Amino acid sequence: MGGLVTAVVLLAGLVSAAVSEPRSIFKRQLLTDASELRSNYDFVITGGGTAGLTVADRLTEAFPAKNVLVIEYGKIEYAPGVIDPPDLPFQSISNPVDSWTFFSLPNPEMRNVTAFVKVGKVVGGSSCANGQFFDRGTRFDYDSWAEVAGFGQSDIQWTWRSILPFFKKSVTFTKPPPAVAKRYGYTWDIAAAYGGSTPIYSSFPPFQFGDQPVLEHTFREMGIPAKKECAGGDKEGICWIPTSEHPITMRRSHAELGHYEVVSNRTNYDLLVQHQVVRVVYPKKSNKGPPLVEVRSLPNGRLFNVTAKAEVIISAGAFHTPTILQRSGIGPASFLRAAGIPVVADLPGVGANLQDHSAPPISWNYTKPTNFSDMPSDFSDPTYYANAVAAFDEVPAQGPYTVAMGNSALYLSLPRVAPTKYRSMVNKIRAVANSPELASYLPSGPDYGSNPAMVAGYKAQLLALAKLYENPDSPSLEFPWLSGTTIYAFLLHPLSRGTVRLNVSSPLDQPVLDYRSGSNPIDFDLHVAHVRYMRQLVNTPTQRKYGSVELLPGPEVQSDADLKEFVKDHIILSLQHPCCTAAMLPETKGGVVGPDLKVHGVDGLRVVDMSVVPVLPSAHLSATAYALAEKAADIIIRQWPGGHH
Ligand SMILES: Cc1cc2nc3c(=O)[nH]c(=O)nc-3n(C[C@H](O)[C@H](O)[C@H](O)COP(=O)(O)OP(=O)(O)OC[C@H]3O[C@@H](n4cnc5c(N)ncnc54)[C@H](O)[C@@H]3O)c2cc1C
Ligand SMILES: *[C@@H]1O[C@H](CO)[C@@H](O)[C@H](O)[C@H]1NC(C)=O
Ligand SMILES: *[C@@H]1O[C@H](CO)[C@@H](O)[C@H](O)[C@H]1NC(C)=O
Ligand SMILES: *[C@@H]1O[C@H](CO)[C@@H](O)[C@H](O)[C@H]1NC(C)=O
Ligand SMILES: *[C@@H]1O[C@H](CO)[C@@H](O)[C@H](O)[C@H]1NC(C)=O
Ligand SMILES: *[C@@H]1O[C@H](CO)[C@@H](O)[C@H](O)[C@H]1NC(C)=O
Ligand SMILES: *[C@@H]1O[C@H](CO)[C@@H](O)[C@H](O)[C@H]1NC(C)=O
């Protein structure tokens, strides 16, 4: 189905990039072999992705006399944008940079469909592979982290108020030129959301496709308010979302450029590429002091240990951080024992609590002439195409290639979407949270469903989510758009929980993902409410003018039961926003790290990446990954003597 391909291209950023010409880069501190390493390091960071490089930048800056090593599986590559020349929008699916692509187990509640997932396997991680959509969650999302965790007495807080300064610090927002702002109606509020100068860029492109305003008008006609700024904690309504791209070149901005390239002349910043972190090892049968890091060279397969004097920071992302921990014996004890791995710390939350955004489509057709200019189909005109390619090399860059995944999205609350039904849905969430059946929604067994701490953590999450769902300012649904007549309704706060486990017969390989989407059946009620609301868009004056007719779900699909079957038939299981697999929660709630991001029960080990988030925010994740890592770095710097900001 063309629409599905289009959406996967747009949302996951899977557009081909034949021009990924690797730059010739020589850096003294760019290491490719164990023989080049120092005898020991103060900090070892495992995974040079979005969060890992942010932390490495801050630690090398704060501690000029301490040595930092980042160990990364991939190498340095040129990372084009989701749609850079010579690619045509919506036409090809391949990897802009080297990435892992793999599939989940079949999801029984969703017709055994498998989730297709992707991870940037490159210096810069998923910031080099993503869709460049650069939004933040709401204040309610981040406050819910603190609420679920309940680290009351801690002097480290993870609330909106305490994270906002790091959101601001983490990016440079550049306002568009006045003529561009006027042409498209871009709005922003620097005081509410920005002010930082870190070279990770947040910009608006000088281009939109000709049909962008059609949906904006449609949604205004549905009575949805337009928000001036959506990165300042409040975004229920129609939003302009910036792109992570440079304000002049309009090329992708990412962690390798902003947190390595520009500071790689620091003599205390070493980056070892093409090496896989196998596990951390506590020598002398003790888990005191920082662990050794066992590393495998990809070119020659050799294994060796690296010593950290201060601490080890795991930043391998939500799918791979659990694999490093599980290979280290830090994880669900009965799973580890069955796998023959000696248990160092029984933490059932390692690889549990997997969450991601999923979405069914809504599509329609214009049966009257539209005559939009500047459409993706115009690229088939050789003159338009040649002009577009040339415009991208102007200074500042111009034209259609400056648009990445689009800049428009709706974020709608459940009270708006289902005004007569939301109360009963929220009551149902609370009833499930308080019922003895709660455990039956989790995977069975001693590591999860029959583990009181894991059930307590799930209960705390559902109660916090019920609060989000009844809040008219907290979005339940996201609907991003760029161009065209198919859009996807993201379920922002899924109630179902999945798992990430080592492949026991091949532990250095990709982990086994069990998405379990829809295993909490209330997720279907939410999807159905979202589709019911969104399908009304064809009834607006703007859509009627173009003779809009619904294609999906299709006029014959009306009952709740039929809509549920429609969701099962058409859902995209992963919008590439996995999180929460080493959650920042107390051990009594199945947590893996504390508010200082230290792993419970072992010394000298932290996790800093999207694994530590307890509950998925109502946003694409890269902005949160940067801000979380900025705050983590601040915590680490305060805990070691000699750091200066
Ligand atoms: C295709 C795609 C599209 C997306 N679209 C958007 C979007 O439009 N907007 C948005 O905001 N977010 C988007 N995201 C999500 C966002 O980019 C990620 O959530 C975020 O970058 C994750 O940051 P991280 O630091 O947790 O992990 P990553 O940035 O993925 O970093 C993990 C790093 O660890 C390395 N690694 C893993 N295992 C090992 C090991 N054993 N040894 C050594 N190194 C290892 C990996 O190679 C990688 O470099 C998208 C993600 C993908 C994959
Ligand atoms: C899904 O797969 C399982 C295991 O193979 C099978 O028992 C079940 O019938 C399948 N369900 C569907 C809807 O195909
Ligand atoms: C690294 O380069 C930057 C910019 O060229 C310069 O300002 C800085 O002093 C250099 N740092 C070191 C440690 O050489
Ligand atoms: C790393 O150190 C641990 C603990 O001393 C040891 O058991 C392991 O064999 C070492 N690995 C390598 C590759 O030397
Ligand atoms: C969409 O409408 C056009 C007429 O504008 C028609 O030719 C086309 O067949 C329709 N497509 C679908 C899938 O119904
Ligand atoms: C289509 O739009 C162009 C300008 O955008 C205009 O010149 C032309 O007359 C329009 N054609 C129709 C059929 O409306
Ligand atoms: C585990 O790894 C083996 C060997 O590579 C592979 O054949 C198998 O399919 C993997 N299992 C899963 C569930 O991915």
Side-chain angles (χ1 to χ4, degrees):
M1 192 190 79
L4 187 129
V5 171
T6 299
V8 172
V9 168
L10 291 183
L11 302 173
L14 308 181
V15 175
S16 95
V19 283
S20 32
E21 199 63 42
R23 288 160 301 170
S24 64
I25 285 178
F26 177 74
K27 293 277 158 40
R28 194 163 56 84
Q29 273 83 235
L30 176 60
L31 315 177
T32 56
D33 190 84
S35 62
E36 302 166 81
L37 291 172
R38 304 171 207 233
S39 60
N40 59 58
Y41 287 88
D42 295 284
F43 296 98
V44 175
I45 298 172
T46 74
T50 316
L53 291 182
T54 305
V55 173
D57 179 2
R58 295 307 174 204
L59 296 185
T60 50
E61 176 184 44
F63 300 111
K66 291 191 198 294
N67 295 322
V68 176
L69 174 67
V70 176
I71 304 169
E72 165 56 40
Y73 195 104
K75 46 186 192 293
I76 293 181
E77 289 179 52
Y78 178 69
V82 282
I83 309 170
D84 278 6
D87 298 308
L88 303 180
F90 312 155
Q91 299 224 330
S92 52
I93 293 190
S94 73
N95 298 339
V97 292
D98 205 3
S99 300
W100 282 294
T101 55
F102 51 110
F103 292 90
S104 73
L105 295 174
N107 196 130
E109 292 82 2
M110 298 291 181
R111 307 235 194 278
N112 281 340
V113 70
T114 57
F116 169 77
V117 301
K118 210 178 135 156
V119 175
K121 186 198 356 172
V122 60
V123 177
S126 298
S127 70
C128 294
N130 71 18
Q132 298 171 264
F133 205 71
F134 216 25
D135 61 329
R136 300 175 186 169
T138 67
R139 64 183 70 247
F140 312 106
D141 294 331
Y142 304 104
D143 285 345
S144 78
W145 296 1
E147 186 178 324
V148 174
F151 293 120
Q153 71 287 22
S154 168
D155 58 347
I156 300 169
Q157 292 298 321
W158 288 85
T159 55
W160 168 251
R161 240 189 78 208
S162 59
I163 302 172
L164 179 60
F166 298 99
F167 270 117
K168 290 185 170 181
K169 178 182 185 180
S170 66
V171 297
T172 303
F173 173 80
T174 306
K175 56 187 186 185
V180 169
K182 188 154 175 257
R183 193 177 322 141
Y184 302 113
Y186 292 144
T187 58
W188 61 86
D189 180 349
I190 289 176
Y194 298 108
S197 59
T198 297
I200 295 293
Y201 297 102
S202 179
S203 315
F204 284 116
F207 181 87
Q208 291 293 323
F209 285 114
D211 58 344
Q212 185 284 332
V214 175
L215 280 182
E216 192 183 325
H217 295 152
T218 299
F219 296 141
R220 285 176 189 258
E221 287 162 4
M222 290 170 82
I224 302 165
K227 306 292 283 188
K228 180 179 180 200
E229 172 61 70
C230 292
D234 296 288
K235 64 174 190 179
E236 210 275 339
I238 305 169
C239 289
W240 281 115
I241 304 298
T243 302
S244 48
E245 61 187 11
H246 188 274
I248 304 295
T249 66
M250 298 291 161
R251 265 60 171 180
R252 179 193 290 276
S253 168
H254 55 76
E256 188 273 327
L257 288 175
H259 287 299
Y260 177 68
E261 193 85 32
V262 294
V263 293
S264 60
N265 61 350
R266 286 184 193 147
T267 53
N268 60 339
Y269 191 160
D270 283 6
L271 169 63
L272 177 65
V273 297
Q274 291 197 281
H275 281 73
Q276 180 179 28
V277 173
V278 174
R279 58 176 181 152
V280 299
V281 194
Y282 286 92
K284 298 175 254 133
K285 284 176 71 188
S286 137
N287 55 9
K288 297 285 158 239
L292 298 170
V293 180
E294 192 171 70
V295 183
R296 184 173 73 108
S297 160
L298 297 175
N300 63 30
R302 238 174 274 139
L303 282 176
F304 56 93
N305 281 330
V306 176
T307 307
K309 287 190 290 183
E311 54 177 275
V312 174
I313 296 157
I314 302 186
S315 300
F319 292 138
H320 294 107
T321 284
T323 67
I324 295 176
L325 289 169
Q326 289 173 13
R327 287 191 295 257
S328 308
I330 300 169
S334 61
F335 170 78
L336 295 176
R337 282 195 198 102
I341 300 170
V343 177
V344 172
D346 176 14
L347 292 176
V350 173
N353 203 35
L354 172 64
Q355 298 160 53
D356 198 342
H357 292 137
S358 65
I362 287 113
S363 73
W364 61 98
N365 190 17
Y366 299 132
T367 59
K368 292 184 184 159
T370 51
N371 194 27
F372 303 126
S373 56
D374 273 322
M375 291 293 281
S377 55
D378 292 338
F379 280 78
S380 60
D381 170 357
T383 309
Y384 187 92
Y385 172 73
N387 288 341
V389 172
F392 195 51
D393 282 330
E394 285 175 34
V395 181
Q398 302 293 330
Y401 280 114
T402 63
V403 168
M405 211 180 75
N407 303 87
S408 305
L410 266 192
Y411 297 90
L412 302 180
S413 73
L414 199 59
R416 181 189 297 282
V417 165
T420 60
K421 291 192 183 148
Y422 82 94
R423 274 197 194 287
S424 69
M425 293 167 78
V426 168
N427 290 342
K428 206 162 149 188
I429 297 172
R430 291 207 170 99
V432 163
N434 290 312
S435 90
E437 275 101 73
L438 178 62
S440 71
Y441 295 115
L442 297 172
S444 59
D447 291 328
Y448 218 151
S450 34
N451 184 305
M454 295 302 293
V455 177
Y458 187 45
K459 177 176 177 171
Q461 292 182 42
L462 291 194
L463 292 175
L465 290 172
K467 250 177 93 174
L468 293 184
Y469 276 121
E470 71 187 349
N471 180 344
D473 297 318
S474 170
S476 156
L477 157 69
E478 176 187 336
F479 216 55
W481 81 93
L482 169 57
S483 177
T485 51
T486 300
I487 42 184
Y488 280 77
F490 292 30
L491 173 61
L492 289 171
H493 296 299
L495 306 177
S496 302
R497 295 292 177 265
T499 59
V500 179
R501 295 275 185 265
L502 281 187
N503 180 337
V504 175
S505 61
S506 192
L508 292 178
D509 235 320
Q510 293 308 335
V512 178
L513 309 182
D514 190 357
Y515 258 65
R516 304 183 77 257
S517 194
S519 56
N520 186 324
I522 303 172
D523 281 344
F524 284 108
D525 300 346
L526 294 162
H527 279 304
V528 167
H530 293 169
V531 173
R532 273 196 190 287
Y533 180 84
M534 291 313 307
R535 76 190 318 188
Q536 300 177 68
L537 71 87
V538 294
N539 302 326
T540 55
T542 293
Q543 294 289 322
R544 280 201 299 266
K545 185 170 84 188
Y546 297 121
S548 191
V549 293
E550 180 181 301
L551 299 178
L552 290 176
E556 68 290 354
V557 182
Q558 292 297 338
S559 68
D560 283 356
D562 286 352
L563 282 165
K564 184 174 166 184
E565 297 309 305
F566 166 77
V567 169
K568 292 183 183 183
D569 282 335
H570 290 89
I571 195 161
I572 290 189
L573 278 190
S574 172
L575 278 311
Q576 315 300 339
H577 299 157
C579 76
C580 310
T581 52
M584 174 173 40
L585 294 172
E587 272 194 85
T588 52
K589 289 176 179 167
V592 176
V593 300
D596 52 7
L597 306 184
K598 287 183 175 162
V599 177
H600 294 309
V602 294
D603 263 15
L605 188 62
R606 283 188 229 243
V607 177
V608 182
D609 62 24
M610 287 313 293
S611 315
V612 303
V613 167
V615 179
L616 186 60
S618 58
H620 306 221
L621 300 185
S622 64
T624 298
Y626 284 121
L628 180 148
E630 292 281 7
K631 183 167 165 64
D634 184 73
I635 292 167
I636 297 167
I637 291 164
R638 284 171 198 281
Q639 289 187 355
W640 289 97
H644 48 77
H645 288 259

